[in-house]
Amino acid sequence: MNRYRRVQAPNDRLAVATDENDKKKVTAVGDISARGPYGPRAHAPRPAPRSPAHGRWPQARHYAALDLGTNNCRLLIARPQGSGFAVVDAFSRIVRLGEGLAATGRLSDEAIERTIAALRVCADKLKRRDVALARSVATEACRRATNGPDFIQRAYRETGIMLDIISAEEEARLAVLGCHALIEPGEGAALVFDIGGGSTELVLVDTYSQVPKVLDWHSAPWGVVSLTESAGNDGYQAMRALVRASFAPFAARLPRDVGRRRLLGTSGTVTTLASVHLGLDSYDRSAVDGLIMPTGAMRDVSRRIAGLDVAGRAKVPCIGPERADLVVAGCAILEEILDIWPAEQLGIADRGIREGILRRLMGSRQ
């Protein structure tokens, strides 16, 4: 019997459309209205310059979501299509904005320069795609850095992109909103987690309604960058101990009698480790997003990767030199999550904050 299967979200119709402007194929990702038990936005979306719509869908508007994390800068541009949306452009770059933050409490000049360069690429894409409504958010690195507000102002001056520094709670809710369609069907509470660069968000949700209700949430100050910089030289078990202590208050609140536990992870850690387990030569979103795999298999991969040195990890496809020094911290965080919520299976989501932002933006048009 095959232990691996895929979750197909109810509205996850992967339809292909063609953009008359550039003749590129785009994929429609299923979506549910953003209106639900999440309340109003803490920050209003920032409109981009408007221009007349073109192409086959004259009434279509382009929406954009930019997520600037401690490690990555990611952009998604889409237009509404049916009950979902069609992705027309995307961008992702490892910028390591939070590099050195644990030691200095500040964003370094080098990290800022890398990030500004990535934001310039994003700004160009926003202009070329005639985006009508956009929201750009920054997370843990900018929340924690003493010069975070100064960086935000510089980014605006040099790129025209105004970043909202969102709270850990909003970050957690956006991640759930973006990926909850991949939670396995079932009853009772489910746990959704997002292992970031500077923090890890854990969200307990009730899935009885179409849009899950958040029952409890927790943000730990350990992500793959912050944990590596703080304890990377102390060994795998030391990293796990730090994470365990930071999870303890949330773990004590988790319900014990929930029947079959359901678990969904959205992060570069889980998608990378799933790719390694599948033996992919290069990352393939279609093979990873929606995958359900045994948690025991994920533990095996985590420990195998953690047992390699940096050079060994760099040779592993889908890890490579860019992730080789950070992936072990992700493994340590993941194992602690599996300990506090011992599910038999783990769902993998290659979607999260950006998709959550798009749902909110497109929901607000109705």
Side-chain angles (χ1 to χ4, degrees):
M1 179 179 177
N2 187 0
R3 297 185 299 165
Y4 304 90
R5 59 189 178 84
R6 301 188 60 78
V7 168
Q8 182 72 22
N11 292 322
D12 222 13
R13 295 194 290 267
L14 299 180
V16 175
T18 303
D19 191 322
E20 289 289 327
N21 293 326
D22 58 14
K23 302 298 183 182
K24 291 180 179 178
K25 287 187 176 181
V26 293
T27 304
V29 180
D31 214 354
I32 298 173
S33 171
R35 292 175 295 182
Y38 290 87
R41 289 186 298 273
H43 305 273
R46 183 170 301 277
R50 298 173 182 269
S51 63
H54 304 286
R56 253 170 95 182
W57 294 275
Q59 302 306 317
R61 303 171 69 193
H62 286 175
Y63 295 77
L66 190 154
D67 171 22
L68 177 60
T70 302
N71 197 45
N72 290 281
C73 176
R74 295 181 290 184
L75 172 71
L76 201 60
I77 300 175
R79 64 165 176 263
Q81 182 167 302
S83 61
F85 54 83
V87 175
V88 299
D89 208 345
F91 172 79
S92 179
R93 179 180 294 178
I94 294 176
V95 295
R96 299 203 178 192
L97 178 60
E99 187 175 56
L101 179 61
T104 67
R106 294 176 56 83
L107 305 176
S108 71
D109 292 341
E110 295 81 3
I112 288 174
E113 292 298 333
R114 290 194 298 266
T115 305
I116 292 291
L119 290 174
R120 287 195 181 102
V121 176
C122 294
D124 181 65
K125 288 180 176 289
L126 291 170
K127 291 175 184 176
R128 287 191 293 107
R129 292 293 183 176
D130 294 328
V131 171
L133 197 61
R135 189 177 184 206
S136 304
V137 303
T139 56
E140 183 69 9
C142 291
R143 285 196 295 262
R144 189 182 301 181
T146 57
N147 60 339
D150 293 336
F151 162 72
I152 296 297
Q153 290 304 314
R154 178 181 168 186
Y156 179 62
R157 288 194 309 269
E158 297 190 17
T159 71
I161 294 174
M162 176 56 77
L163 292 154
D164 292 327
I165 302 178
I166 60 173
S167 68
E169 180 177 5
E170 184 175 10
E171 181 180 357
R173 290 179 181 272
L174 284 172
V176 170
L177 190 58
C179 72
H180 71 81
L182 295 181
I183 298 174
E184 286 186 272
E187 297 182 353
L191 185 67
V192 179
F193 66 89
D194 181 3
I195 302 173
S199 65
T200 293
E201 277 61 52
L202 306 169
V203 191
L204 189 70
V205 298
D206 182 333
T207 60
Y208 283 111
S209 58
Q210 196 175 43
V211 177
K213 177 183 178 182
V214 174
L215 301 173
D216 197 357
W217 70 278
H218 179 73
S219 181
W222 302 118
V224 295
V225 176
S226 56
L227 185 59
T228 299
E229 293 189 349
S230 297
N233 294 327
D234 299 332
Y236 191 62
Q237 294 307 319
M239 286 194 286
R240 288 194 59 177
L242 278 177
V243 176
R244 187 180 313 124
S246 70
F247 284 175
F250 181 70
R253 299 195 304 266
L254 287 173
R256 297 291 180 262
D257 186 16
V258 294
R260 187 178 68 86
R261 287 179 169 83
R262 293 173 292 158
L263 182 63
L264 177 67
T266 169
S267 68
T269 293
V270 295
T271 56
T272 297
L273 294 178
S275 299
V276 172
H277 180 72
L278 293 174
L280 301 180
D281 292 328
S282 60
Y283 184 71
D284 180 358
R285 183 181 187 274
S286 65
V288 172
D289 186 53
L291 180 70
I292 301 291
M293 60 183 292
T295 53
M298 189 61 96
R299 280 191 189 272
D300 290 342
V301 175
S302 295
R303 292 172 182 176
R304 176 163 61 89
I305 295 301
L308 300 174
D309 60 16
V310 174
R313 295 192 295 271
K315 295 177 182 178
V316 178
C318 298
I319 294 180
E322 282 192 322
R323 296 179 175 85
D325 59 333
L326 301 179
V327 68
V328 172
C331 294
I333 296 168
L334 176 60
E335 285 217 65
E336 291 303 317
I337 293 171
L338 297 180
D339 279 354
I340 67 170
W341 193 256
E344 293 182 0
Q345 299 184 124
L346 169 63
I348 312 295
D350 184 357
R351 57 182 80 183
I353 291 175
R354 293 177 303 169
E355 290 79 4
I357 291 172
L358 286 174
R359 288 187 177 197
R360 282 191 175 177
L361 293 180
M362 293 181 186
S364 70
R365 71 192 169 97
Q366 298 178 3

